[in-house]
Amino acid sequence: MMKKQRLVMRTVILLLLLAAVGYTIYSNFFTEKTEIKVGATAPDFVLTDLNGKKHRLSDYRGKGVFLNFWGTWCKPCEREMPYINRQYAVYKKQGVEVLAVNVGEPKLSVQKFVDRFGLTFPVVIDREDQVMNAYEIDPLPTTFLIDKDGKIKQIITGTMTEEMVKQYMESIKP
Amino acid sequence: MEQVKCECGHVNPYGTAFCESCGKPIEETTKPLLDMRYEGSARRSQTYNKTIIDKIWNFFSSVKVGVWLIVITLIASAIGTIFPQQMYLPPNVTPAQYYEDQYGWAGKLYYELGFNNLYGSWWYMLLLASIGVSLVICSLDRVIPLYRALNNQGVARHETFLRRQRLFSITNVNDERLFETLKERLAKRRYHIREENGNILAEKGRFSRWGPYVNHIGLIIFLIGAMLRFVPGMYVDKVLWIREGETKEIPGTNGKYFLKNEKFIFETYEKGKENEVFNAAIDRVGSGMVAKTYQTNAVLYKRVGPVIPGEEPKLQKVKEYKIRVNDPLKYDHYALYQVDFKLNELSKMSFQLIDKKTGTSFGTVTVDLRNPTPSYNLGKGYRVELLSYFPDFYFDNDGNPATKTKIPNNPAFVFKMYAPDKPKGEVSFVAIRQTIEPFGSNKYKMAFAGIETRNVSALTVRRDFTLWILGVGGTIFMIGVIQGMYWNHRRIWLKRVNGEVWLAAHTNKNWFGLKNEIKSIIEGTGLTMPIDQVGMEKKAAQGGNEHGATQ
């Protein structure tokens, strides 16, 4: 009788401890500490592109959005831009949009960069870092794959090859 | 497991070293003194070892395991400080490469073993968690039997128990009033006295024994507080770099609050400006060498209406505040602390369009370094276009001008200068203290004409809902320490055996104090001062000539 009670007590205490430890480790390593995570709705934002046109993310519902954060000084961003540009030409007809968010550089520099690579997708400038804060951007480049329902499907940090860009765009086709 | 019944009639749990009630040793030992640790009670971990649950329990119940866990954690933490952690590496480097380049094979090994991110690594967390588990189980496994043993202790103790106490004496006295006198004196010294068939147990400071466990409860609460930091919304720790004149969103507030930096002030102690008594001190270190104030004059705004990042925010002023070191702006549980600064960041740069030969100026061009305008009309047919701008200029691997960051640390420009006599324009590359004319010699030049600068302030954004839990945990921890440190659990047993009076005493610490107390209690009663049997043993071991304890 006593023995049984003791076993139950020990099991309960161990389970409680395990739950506490498990929760800490889980929340620290397997979840993002914010609302920015795969499966969550991508935060809405409004930014103006180089031609003065406003782009609001929620207006793109129904289409897949390839949301790329970049800077002109970032060499990996420079490398992947032509890939994105080429694949965009293919996937635009299939309902995939590209939005490239520059991290608040002078319009002059951004314009020059766009001209140099002949980018055809809208490039917007996050002048006040508000969108960067909302998406908690740390390393550049960072790309968010957003599906037709506005949910984040995948977050990619680091350079992509053209093959990867193609697969990613394929994955968010509506 | 069967329980063990002592001859005094008390039933003890299996594994008990000596009877909880009368103190008679359950198993005869040849040792002259009893091990009084945990009152001889059976630590439960050592008695049941059948199921997997018991085995896990027993593993964590071992103090030896606990100490090893702490030692391993200490060693790992120390190793983590040998090379910089990954978060302190300069940006734009590949960690794997960086460690190898900087520290050779040791750096490579360091990286491959995961020490580059030690304090956030899963195994480090697991070590900390194991210490926590060990703490809980060790405490539970000891505090419950100890409580039981102290609660069940009898007043009448077995002779072997008394004999085997560290402090023990036998006296032949025939004084009927003796125990009354002793009781009076003991009570005066705040002893709690229990009497049974002419046996006396005087006890005080028992609550000191709970100190370590109270201390552990505090630690566990502290750990829970630390754990809660991982719950979203409980803990915010961000940095905001903000230039003078800028209004920026405060990170970590989900776009709810904005801050304007009106002015950043950096002051030093200067001679002539301070009270005379400070002159000697100022002379010693030099005027203007010691910082006096770091201050950001800030205005806090709240965003009204829906929060859509990127949208021009509608702001409502909340308050103005002069943020200084250790004097943060506090609002809505957020606190903004002054943490860093950068003086004189370039904000505008001016150039004059001049004729290189005559030096005649045709007008001034002022370039806003954060967002430059592409073209500048100087009138009379003179015009300057900004073709390229590099805020933080360097030559990249291909030998092309490029920028390292978006911050104007080292601005460089490519200008195209138009004049009535040069309708096609001349191109000039202008950086600080250097001008390159890539397409041959030019007639005109962009001559440096001045700069404007502004200060940048860095603020830490902090919100911490776990602080009070850490405070409660820390306070309980401290109470436990004090409880265990400044009180002693002292017990004195008195027993009449065939006309003799046996006196034994025990304390969990400070034997010197206990001996002094006994001395004053038995003074003038004719009782023999107990002998310290541990002291005797030591002397005997050292080859002294003195006799052993009276046995």
Side-chain angles (χ1 to χ4, degrees):
Chain A
M1 192 56 211
M2 274 287 285
K3 257 183 275 175
K4 196 154 198 187
Q5 211 179 332
R6 173 171 294 125
L7 186 66
V8 171
M9 272 308 281
R10 286 185 173 184
T11 313
V12 168
I13 292 168
L14 278 177
L15 281 178
L16 274 176
L17 292 172
L18 190 75
V21 172
Y23 174 76
T24 311
I25 300 229
Y26 174 80
S27 58
N28 209 24
F29 292 102
F30 302 102
T31 60
E32 299 295 323
K33 271 157 243 162
T34 55
E35 289 97 64
I36 301 297
K37 57 186 173 201
V38 171
T41 304
D44 198 10
F45 64 85
V46 183
L47 287 174
T48 312
D49 70 13
L50 297 172
N51 306 318
K53 193 182 166 227
K54 280 196 169 185
H55 293 266
R56 185 168 178 163
L57 184 67
S58 50
D59 293 343
Y60 287 92
R61 285 283 158 86
K63 288 178 169 184
V65 178
F66 189 95
L67 181 64
N68 178 258
F69 287 85
W70 67 283
T72 61
W73 71 82
C74 143
K75 293 286 170 192
C77 305
E78 200 176 307
R79 240 170 285 140
E80 66 186 19
M81 275 301 178
Y83 308 152
I84 300 172
N85 206 22
R86 270 202 292 276
Q87 293 305 320
Y88 174 62
V90 177
Y91 282 93
K92 188 178 162 56
K93 292 162 219 140
Q94 304 179 39
V96 176
E97 287 294 334
V98 172
L99 262 180
V101 181
N102 175 272
V103 293
E105 287 183 272
K107 193 176 170 189
L108 184 94
S109 317
V110 178
Q111 184 68 58
K112 209 175 141 57
F113 186 92
V114 168
D115 294 345
R116 193 170 130 213
F117 292 100
L119 304 180
T120 52
F121 46 80
V123 174
V124 294
I125 301 177
D126 183 22
R127 189 130 278 289
E128 316 244 292
D129 297 347
Q130 288 186 36
V131 179
M132 277 185 66
N133 283 343
Y135 278 82
E136 311 219 317
I137 302 302
D138 185 19
L140 290 180
T142 298
T143 303
F144 292 82
L145 302 180
I146 301 167
D147 69 9
K148 62 179 192 317
D149 304 316
K151 298 257 188 295
I152 300 172
K153 267 201 85 172
Q154 208 176 329
I155 302 168
I156 305 119
T157 51
T159 332
M160 298 175 277
T161 61
E162 185 153 5
E163 186 56 35
M164 285 160 80
V165 173
K166 187 179 170 211
Q167 279 171 16
Y168 290 144
M169 289 198 183
E170 185 73 34
S171 75
I172 48 171
K173 252 181 13 187
Chain B
M1 302 276 172
E2 67 276 30
Q3 292 174 319
V4 187
K5 194 171 178 182
C6 176
E7 63 177 42
C8 72
H10 185 79
V11 179
N12 294 289
Y14 175 82
T16 310
F18 51 84
C19 174
E20 287 174 325
S21 176
C22 75
K24 180 170 185 282
I26 304 266
E27 272 171 46
E28 274 308 319
T29 55
T30 48
K31 280 193 179 169
L33 290 183
L34 281 178
D35 182 3
M36 289 292 284
R37 219 151 42 119
Y38 308 115
E39 301 294 305
S41 62
R43 259 151 296 148
R44 299 190 294 175
S45 60
Q46 295 169 355
T47 54
Y48 295 88
N49 199 352
K50 278 193 171 158
T51 60
I52 181 82
I53 293 287
D54 289 330
K55 289 205 163 105
I56 296 171
W57 186 273
N58 292 348
F59 175 76
F60 281 112
S61 170
S62 160
V63 169
K64 219 183 247 172
V65 167
V67 169
W68 273 111
L69 284 171
I70 292 170
V71 168
I72 293 168
T73 311
L74 281 179
I75 292 172
S77 308
I79 293 174
T81 64
I82 295 178
F83 298 137
Q85 290 286 295
Q86 191 170 317
M87 61 176 143
Y88 299 116
L89 297 192
N92 311 327
V93 298
T94 324
Q97 200 62 41
Y98 182 85
Y99 282 105
E100 196 173 353
D101 289 351
Q102 295 285 316
Y103 310 110
W105 64 268
K108 193 181 174 197
L109 192 70
Y110 197 78
Y111 180 78
E112 271 165 12
L113 291 178
F115 282 108
N116 55 316
N117 241 331
L118 174 76
Y119 306 109
S121 70
W122 63 270
W123 63 269
Y124 189 79
M125 299 279 274
L126 212 58
L127 270 175
L128 289 184
S130 305
I131 291 176
V133 171
S134 157
L135 212 62
V136 172
I137 293 182
C138 278
S139 301
L140 276 177
D141 245 11
R142 282 165 181 77
V143 73
I144 294 171
L146 179 65
Y147 175 80
R148 214 188 113 94
L150 287 176
N151 219 31
N152 284 335
Q153 67 176 327
V155 175
R157 286 292 176 141
H158 195 267
E159 290 170 19
T160 43
F161 177 87
L162 297 180
R163 259 186 205 286
R164 290 182 178 192
Q165 289 303 311
R166 182 168 160 181
L167 291 183
F168 178 65
S169 75
I170 298 177
T171 321
N172 253 315
V173 275
N174 281 319
D175 181 359
E176 288 302 311
R177 293 257 324 133
L178 175 66
F179 274 26
E180 289 309 310
T181 320
L182 290 175
K183 265 161 68 185
E184 239 168 62
R185 290 186 182 175
L186 284 166
K188 222 179 221 168
R189 295 188 161 265
R190 296 171 190 278
Y191 275 89
H192 178 73
I193 296 162
R194 282 163 71 195
E195 212 173 348
E196 206 179 282
N197 303 330
N199 297 291
I200 289 178
L201 164 59
E203 184 178 12
K204 75 173 178 185
R206 193 198 280 187
F207 94 116
S208 154
R209 297 291 288 270
W210 314 126
Y213 308 103
V214 171
N215 168 290
H216 283 182
I217 289 169
L219 263 182
I220 289 158
I221 292 173
F222 197 94
L223 282 177
I224 290 172
M227 201 175 85
L228 283 176
R229 289 201 163 181
F230 298 121
V231 177
M234 288 296 277
Y235 183 67
V236 171
D237 182 13
K238 306 254 178 199
V239 175
L240 170 66
W241 280 93
I242 185 165
R243 295 177 179 82
E244 285 176 327
E246 260 185 342
T247 304
K248 276 180 106 177
E249 181 191 309
I250 302 174
T253 63
N254 300 320
K256 215 167 135 194
Y257 294 103
F258 283 69
L259 194 79
K260 185 173 184 199
N261 177 358
E262 297 271 11
K263 194 174 174 50
F264 175 78
I265 301 163
F266 171 62
E267 280 177 353
T268 53
Y269 288 98
E270 282 171 53
K271 202 166 181 188
K273 284 191 181 174
E274 307 301 331
N275 194 316
E276 270 179 38
V277 293
F278 299 122
N279 280 352
I282 292 173
D283 277 340
R284 199 168 58 237
V285 289
S287 180
M289 294 305 287
V290 178
K292 186 180 177 186
T293 317
Y294 305 95
Q295 177 180 318
T296 305
N297 293 353
V299 187
L300 179 71
Y301 294 98
K302 188 177 191 162
R303 185 180 206 154
V304 282
V307 175
I308 304 166
E311 184 98 277
E312 191 67 34
K314 279 197 197 92
L315 297 178
Q316 195 179 48
K317 187 167 159 185
V318 177
K319 68 167 165 180
E320 283 179 32
Y321 200 80
K322 295 184 168 71
I323 302 172
R324 295 186 194 186
V325 176
N326 290 334
D327 183 8
L329 189 170
K330 285 190 172 174
Y331 189 74
D332 188 15
H333 303 293
Y334 287 100
L336 293 166
Y337 290 88
Q338 184 71 51
V339 70
D340 203 354
F341 67 99
K342 187 176 154 195
L343 292 179
N344 304 326
E345 185 183 281
L346 294 169
S347 68
K348 281 176 185 161
M349 230 171 173
S350 303
F351 300 93
Q352 280 186 333
L353 177 65
I354 56 165
D355 185 316
K356 283 206 300 197
K357 247 184 222 149
T358 63
T360 325
S361 168
F362 302 98
T364 306
V365 167
T366 301
V367 183
D368 176 357
L369 298 175
R370 283 280 291 158
N371 199 13
T373 342
S375 90
Y376 306 83
N377 199 343
L378 300 174
K380 293 179 186 164
Y382 293 94
R383 193 157 61 82
V384 175
E385 269 182 22
L386 180 55
L387 296 184
S388 284
Y389 167 49
F390 309 98
D392 199 353
F393 157 72
Y394 77 113
F395 283 111
D396 66 11
N397 290 339
D398 307 327
N400 296 321
T403 185
K404 274 183 257 178
T405 59
K406 62 175 177 178
I407 298 154
N409 290 327
N410 180 24
F413 314 83
V414 178
F415 288 113
K416 197 164 190 183
M417 304 164 288
Y418 295 91
D421 55 341
K422 293 280 178 192
K424 280 185 183 164
E426 288 180 335
V427 174
S428 173
F429 178 89
V430 181
I432 289 175
R433 290 171 191 274
Q434 91 186 85
T435 304
I436 300 169
E437 295 172 354
F439 306 118
S441 191
N442 290 342
K443 182 173 182 230
Y444 295 98
K445 176 184 173 181
M446 295 300 282
F448 176 73
I451 50 163
E452 274 177 45
T453 62
R454 53 184 171 177
N455 300 332
V456 195
S457 174
L459 305 167
T460 288
V461 184
R462 186 64 62 76
R463 183 166 69 163
D464 193 349
F465 287 132
T466 67
L467 213 54
W468 68 273
I469 303 175
L470 301 183
V472 168
T475 309
I476 294 177
F477 178 98
M478 219 41 229
I479 290 172
V481 170
I482 293 166
Q483 192 177 335
M485 292 271 271
Y486 292 99
W487 280 270
N488 315 139
H489 179 214
R490 293 177 179 173
R491 274 172 294 175
I492 298 173
W493 293 276
L494 289 159
K495 190 184 176 84
R496 284 190 194 275
V497 183
N498 305 329
E500 295 170 336
V501 172
W502 289 24
L503 189 159
H506 179 77
T507 179
N508 63 334
K509 54 167 64 82
N510 190 7
W511 289 88
F512 181 76
L514 176 63
K515 280 185 236 169
N516 270 344
E517 198 166 50
I518 292 174
K519 206 181 277 169
S520 63
I521 287 169
I522 61 175
E523 208 183 351
T525 58
L527 279 181
T528 316
M529 182 61 199
I531 294 159
D532 187 341
Q533 306 197 67
V534 168
M536 298 307 289
E537 268 181 5
K538 270 188 198 150
K539 275 182 193 156
Q542 284 161 4
N545 329 324
E546 281 162 90
H547 295 286
T550 38
Q551 290 219 14

